[in-house]
């Protein structure tokens, strides 16, 4: 890897903007990279993207200089480690509602936790061109861990979750959080809950992340302390562009 890593930028408090990828096509990732996005997240939670397809997406991401994360349920190493081996820049894990789950995610992602199997033979290790110790150091320094806060019980455990070593981002999933809280989306109650997350993240000196459906929401939440944004998806960007095109049609 060259230049400043996504993790270093997040840790430095920079505002970074990405989008979800829901289409299992490497061309989409390549285009997003050429467009200059800070990162993208392949949505294995809500889209039909398997490990073989992630391999192609990760290849396109690295070729175009786009840090690519994956979002998928669970804290098991059998899905987290293979994605990092493919060259993904990190993981986003939904529904992390307690410290134990956060710790399990970090243990699956970081070699220095002692349980992730290590081999520099995959893409992330330059197919064996990196020495073992250098590979281990680079991966642990650069891999991003985002844990999603989207359950009401998690709000009472924020300080505990944020204190977990190696967690980089408390990422709010506002739709699921509003559902868990049984409040509107959007609503003042949801906004208040998001602010609780930003406050806990600030106390722990980690970043707050948030999904927004439209780029006009970014400045509003940036002023409130959010620095990591996932805005829409490849599908919504395509839909928005196509609809805008059709508004120019002559009657």
């Amino acid at each position: 890897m060259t230049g400043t890593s996504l993790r270093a930028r997040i840790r430095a408090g920079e505002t970074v903007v990405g989008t979800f990828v829901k289409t299992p096509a490497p061309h989409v990732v390549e285009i997003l990279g050429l467009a200059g996005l800070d990162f993208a997240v392949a949505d294995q939670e809500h889209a039909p993207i398997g490990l073989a397809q992630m391999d192609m997406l990760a290849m396109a991401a690295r070729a175009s200089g786009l840090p690519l994360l994956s979002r998928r349920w669970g804290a098991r190493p059998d899905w987290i480690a293979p994605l990092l081996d493919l060259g993904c820049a990190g993981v986003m894990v939904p529904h992390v509602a307690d410290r134990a789950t956060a710790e399990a995610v970090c243990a699956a992602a970081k070699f220095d936790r002692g349980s992730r199997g290590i081999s520099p033979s995959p893409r992330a290790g330059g197919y064996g061109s990196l020495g073992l110790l250098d590979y281990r150091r680079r991966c642990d320094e650069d891999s991003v861990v985002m844990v999603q806060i989207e359950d009401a019980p998690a709000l009472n455990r924020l300080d505990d979750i944020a204190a977990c070593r190696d967690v980089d981002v408390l990422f709010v999933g506002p739709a699921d959080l509003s559902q868990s809280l049984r409040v509107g989306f959007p609503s003042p109650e949801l906004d208040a809950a998001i602010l609780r997350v930003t406050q806990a993240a600030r106390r722990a000196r980690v970043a707050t992340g948030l999904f927004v459906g439209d780029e006009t929401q970014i400045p509003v939440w940036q002023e409130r302390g959010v620095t990591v944004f996932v805005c829409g998806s490849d599908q919504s960007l395509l839909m928005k562009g196509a609809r805008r095109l059709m508004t120019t049609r002559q009657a």
Side-chain angles (χ1 to χ4, degrees):
M1 298 180 185
T2 59
T4 305
S5 70
L6 175 65
R7 184 172 188 250
R9 294 178 65 194
I10 290 171
R11 286 278 179 172
E14 288 189 40
T15 295
V16 293
V17 179
T19 193
F20 281 122
V21 173
K22 295 177 179 288
T23 308
H27 315 76
V28 170
V29 172
E30 187 176 25
I31 291 168
L32 294 175
L34 292 172
L37 290 188
D38 295 311
F39 69 99
V41 182
D43 191 3
Q44 292 190 279
E45 182 185 11
H46 294 299
I49 303 175
L51 185 62
Q53 291 158 324
M54 282 300 304
D55 186 28
M56 295 295 100
L57 298 186
M59 182 185 294
R62 288 171 75 90
S64 60
L66 178 69
L68 180 70
L69 290 79
S70 170
R71 175 171 75 168
R72 181 176 158 181
W73 270 83
R76 291 168 55 92
D78 61 352
W79 82 260
I80 292 176
L83 290 169
L84 297 176
D85 284 350
L86 292 179
C88 287
V91 292
M92 175 188 288
V93 180
H95 297 286
V96 174
D98 54 48
R99 175 72 174 264
T101 305
E103 293 286 358
V105 170
C106 292
K110 301 292 184 176
F111 289 121
D112 72 357
R113 292 292 189 111
S115 58
R116 178 183 167 190
I118 186 169
S119 170
S121 61
R123 181 181 297 117
Y127 299 106
S129 63
L130 289 178
L132 187 69
L133 295 181
D134 192 28
Y135 169 56
R136 170 179 167 164
R137 177 185 59 80
R138 290 193 191 187
C139 285
D140 280 359
E141 285 181 357
D142 293 345
S143 59
V144 179
V145 175
M146 301 189 187
V147 295
Q148 285 199 256
I149 306 300
E150 43 194 356
D151 303 278
L155 296 177
N156 294 322
R157 305 167 185 153
L158 290 172
D159 288 329
D160 209 25
I161 295 169
C164 177
R165 178 171 61 90
D166 300 317
V167 165
D168 299 300
V169 183
L170 300 183
F171 191 93
V172 179
D176 280 356
L177 184 56
S178 68
Q179 178 174 261
S180 181
L181 291 170
R182 300 185 183 276
V183 300
F185 177 43
S187 68
E189 295 86 356
L190 178 60
D191 287 357
I194 297 171
L195 288 174
R196 288 179 63 183
V197 179
T198 65
Q199 292 159 4
R202 187 179 297 113
R203 287 192 294 271
R205 298 185 179 181
V206 299
T208 303
L210 178 66
F211 173 81
V212 293
D214 187 274
E215 65 274 10
T216 61
Q217 300 173 47
I218 292 176
V220 175
W221 283 103
Q222 190 175 10
E223 291 182 0
R224 298 173 178 175
V226 177
T227 58
V228 178
F229 293 92
V230 174
C231 184
S233 69
D234 59 330
Q235 293 175 350
S236 67
L237 290 171
L238 178 61
M239 181 73 77
K240 185 184 296 183
R243 284 176 170 168
R244 185 182 299 119
L245 176 65
M246 293 309 294
T247 63
T248 66
R249 181 178 58 181
Q250 295 291 329

